[in-house]
Amino acid sequence: MTSDLIIENLDVHYGGVRALTNLTVTVRAGTCTTLLGANGAGKTSALRGIGGLIRASGTVTLGGRRLDGKSAARRAGAGLGHVLEGRHVFPGLTVAENIAVARRRAPRETRRDPLELLPELRSHLDRPAGGLSGGQQQMLAIARAIAGGPRAVMLDEPTNGLSPKLVARTIEIIAELRDLGYAVLLVEQRLEVAQELGSDVVVLRHGETAHRGSGTDPALPDLLHSMYLS
């Protein structure tokens, strides 16, 4: 069972510093939306605010259920999967144990075997996660999110630091998640990722929404170039 993810008027502040202002975006089940922007544009703050990891105002609704005001753990339990920037696997646990930790909280109706999506992890199930390569850890982070039984999945710069081959594989996995019916909210700096996915895009600049459209919009590369330089 998957669901629409709806964010309305999301604001994030760190003390007196504004990180994000009035973000409104709807990610329908079976679609992908990408938040694009330079470093400091508010992309990661958006995902952390949606996920309940930092204080934020505004509304977050998943499948008609309001999640704002709830803890990050309760949002995850309601079906909001989150692949954090930097992977954040449990290095002392094996790959199988990492997946099992996430699977324990998965609702029965949304359970899915992540190894069907990521069969390359099967040969590493008994290895400590801390001994995996960066690309393998990224695959494990995605597998853990799927093992948690999400209805929607957020991924924060999942291609960062990966080889071209692994970037292509990660894009393939995200496309599969979309095609399985998940609402996918992606943070990226690479326009080509949004283009490969045929994703809708929201461009953030200094915490504000500067542009909405499609990743295939021919004007978007020049627009992003000017924003990244300003």
Side-chain angles (χ1 to χ4, degrees), residues 76-77 79-84 87-90 98-103 105-107 110-114 117-118 121 137-156 173 177 182:
L80 186 58
H82 192 174
V83 180
L84 295 165
R87 294 137 197 171
H88 294 278
V89 299
F90 298 115
N98 268 269
I99 293 172
V101 167
R103 183 178 284 134
R105 68 168 186 263
T110 57
R111 286 180 184 171
R112 184 182 297 273
D113 182 0
L117 184 67
L118 295 143
L121 290 176
Q137 288 187 7
Q138 184 63 72
M139 299 301 107
L140 176 56
I142 296 172
R144 285 196 319 169
I146 299 308
R151 301 170 187 270
V153 182
M154 304 189 299
L155 303 101
D156 195 350
I173 291 166
L177 291 173
Y182 294 102

Side-chain angles (χ1 to χ4, degrees), residues 107-179:
R108 184 177 299 277
E109 68 272 16
T110 57
R111 286 180 184 171
R112 184 182 297 273
D113 182 0
L115 298 180
E116 293 179 358
L117 184 67
L118 295 143
E120 54 261 66
L121 290 176
R122 292 186 189 277
S123 60
H124 302 290
L125 288 174
D126 295 328
R127 291 185 60 188
L132 300 178
S133 69
Q136 290 166 337
Q137 288 187 7
Q138 184 63 72
M139 299 301 107
L140 176 56
I142 296 172
R144 285 196 319 169
I146 299 308
R151 301 170 187 270
V153 182
M154 304 189 299
L155 303 101
D156 195 350
E157 298 206 26
T159 67
N160 187 34
L162 300 184
S163 68
K165 181 178 179 180
L166 286 174
V167 168
R169 174 61 179 138
T170 302
I171 292 171
E172 182 181 81
I173 291 166
I174 295 169
E176 289 186 53
L177 291 173
R178 176 201 62 207
D179 294 345

Side-chain angles (χ1 to χ4, degrees), residues 2 8 58-59 79 116 121 144 180 189 210 218:
T2 53
E8 297 178 294
T59 63
E116 293 179 358
L121 290 176
R144 285 196 319 169
L180 285 168
Q189 289 196 53

